[in-house]
């Protein structure tokens, strides 16, 4: 079975500081990994996805993630946090027939 | 292209009642998936439909059911509502090429169900 683990349910950063949200995966086959963002009272918006084409994946809003097989990680980063980045972020892995397994989420707080 | 739409956005029901939620996928998408989101359990997969057939199902009781129509629109139904069914129900659509498809899923805004 495939799964993802997000370390840290809450992360606080200062505006302009580096954002690092951690995700580790478990999969017996090459995984398809995603990062989604959810703003309050809204659905999920796709930030980026990894489908084995490139290990460094660039997404929207300046976010990127690097797939590291040796560490079974897919951490999300952004060089400089903006107030509008405050939201909850979900790492996810997709299995057969569109079944997506989500991590428990990380709430990002950006301090002015 | 219009995104995934879900109706209604908010719903209040009482225990024992049943409820039907609707989801219209992105035009051309044939796969529709449903998820339940609660503070305690997080995001959990309910089921997935492709071409009017349920291809995958999560670990939910039989009170949760769904269907898909020939135009790919989908509905999910919850019968005999319980307090614990209060949640945000999210629908997602994808092109769904069939088989072990791993297309990107695009989510709707969700339906917030409150059971009193």
């Amino acid at each position: 079975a495939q799964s993802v683990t997000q370390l840290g349910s809450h992360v606080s950063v200062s505006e302009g500081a580096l954002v690092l949200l951690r995700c580790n995966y478990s999969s017996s086959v090459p995984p398809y990994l995603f990062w989604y963002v959810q703003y309050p009272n809204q659905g999920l918006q796709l930030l980026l996805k990894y489908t084995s084409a490139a290990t460094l994946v660039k997404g929207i809003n300046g976010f990127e993630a690097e797939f590291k097989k040796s560490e079974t990680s897919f951490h999300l980063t952004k060089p400089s946090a903006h107030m509008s980045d405050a939201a909850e972020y979900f790492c996810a892995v997709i299995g057969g027939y569109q079944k997506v397994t989500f991590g428990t989420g990380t709430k990002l707080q950006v301090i002015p | 292209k219009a995104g995934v739409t879900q109706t209604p956005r908010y719903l209040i029901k009482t225990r024992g009642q049943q409820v039907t939620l609707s989801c219209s996928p992105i035009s051309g998408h044939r796969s529709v998936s449903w998820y339940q989101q609660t503070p305690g359990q997080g995001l959990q997969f309910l089921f997935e439909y492709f071409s009017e057939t349920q291809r995958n199902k999560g670990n939910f009781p039989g009170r949760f059911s769904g269907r898909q129509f020939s135009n790919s629109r989908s509905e999910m139904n919850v019968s005999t509502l319980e307090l614990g069914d209060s949640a945000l129900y999210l629908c997602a659509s994808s092109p769904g090429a069939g088989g072990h498809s791993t297309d990107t899923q695009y989510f709707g805004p969700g339906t917030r169900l409150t059971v009193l």
Side-chain angles (χ1 to χ4, degrees):
Chain A
Q2 297 175 306
S3 65
V4 288
T5 302
Q6 291 184 243
L7 298 175
S9 58
H10 289 81
V11 170
S12 294
V13 300
S14 298
E15 191 175 16
L18 171 72
V19 176
L20 171 60
L21 304 182
R22 302 177 185 273
C23 173
N24 288 88
Y25 69 89
S26 173
S27 176
S28 58
V29 298
Y32 286 84
L33 296 161
F34 300 80
W35 275 99
Y36 284 90
V37 61
Q38 185 176 35
Y39 297 99
N41 298 316
Q42 294 188 26
L44 299 171
Q45 181 181 8
L46 178 69
L47 275 177
L48 50 82
K49 66 177 180 180
Y50 168 75
T51 58
S52 76
T55 56
L56 183 62
V57 183
K58 293 189 183 297
I60 63 171
N61 301 338
F63 284 93
E64 63 182 35
E66 186 172 8
F67 176 78
K68 291 187 177 180
K69 185 177 179 180
S70 60
E71 299 176 10
T72 61
S73 68
F74 190 56
H75 301 333
L76 181 71
T77 60
K78 182 174 180 178
S80 177
H82 192 272
M83 295 298 295
S84 61
D85 295 327
E88 189 161 18
Y89 293 80
F90 294 91
C91 180
V93 62
I94 190 167
Y97 297 115
Q98 304 299 324
K99 181 178 180 179
V100 177
T101 301
F102 289 91
T104 50
T106 298
K107 287 186 178 176
L108 176 66
Q109 180 186 24
V110 182
I111 302 167
Chain B
K1 238 182 200 181
V4 178
T5 57
Q6 292 186 245
T7 57
R9 291 292 312 278
Y10 301 91
L11 206 49
I12 300 175
K13 293 285 187 179
T14 56
R15 279 184 300 172
Q17 287 187 308
Q18 74 164 18
V19 68
T20 299
L21 311 181
S22 180
C23 172
S24 292
I26 292 171
S27 177
H29 285 192
R30 296 167 64 191
S31 170
V32 174
S33 300
W34 289 90
Y35 296 84
Q36 181 196 63
Q37 185 178 26
T38 60
Q41 299 298 318
L43 281 154
Q44 293 185 289
F45 173 80
L46 280 158
F47 29 65
E48 187 259 359
Y49 286 87
F50 176 81
S51 291
E52 303 178 64
T53 300
Q54 186 183 90
R55 296 194 298 185
N56 209 346
K57 190 177 189 300
N59 296 323
F60 279 81
R63 299 186 297 105
F64 291 82
S65 63
R67 59 177 176 168
Q68 186 181 35
F69 302 95
S70 58
N71 61 358
S72 295
R73 189 177 71 85
S74 177
E75 290 181 347
M76 68 162 280
N77 184 276
V78 187
S79 62
T80 319
L81 284 167
E82 301 177 359
L83 295 179
D85 296 333
S86 293
L88 180 67
Y89 290 88
L90 292 164
C91 165
S93 79
S94 65
H100 287 271
S101 175
T102 52
D103 295 329
T104 299
Q105 294 191 358
Y106 297 90
F107 285 79
T111 294
R112 172 76 62 185
L113 172 64
T114 302
V115 182
L116 302 175

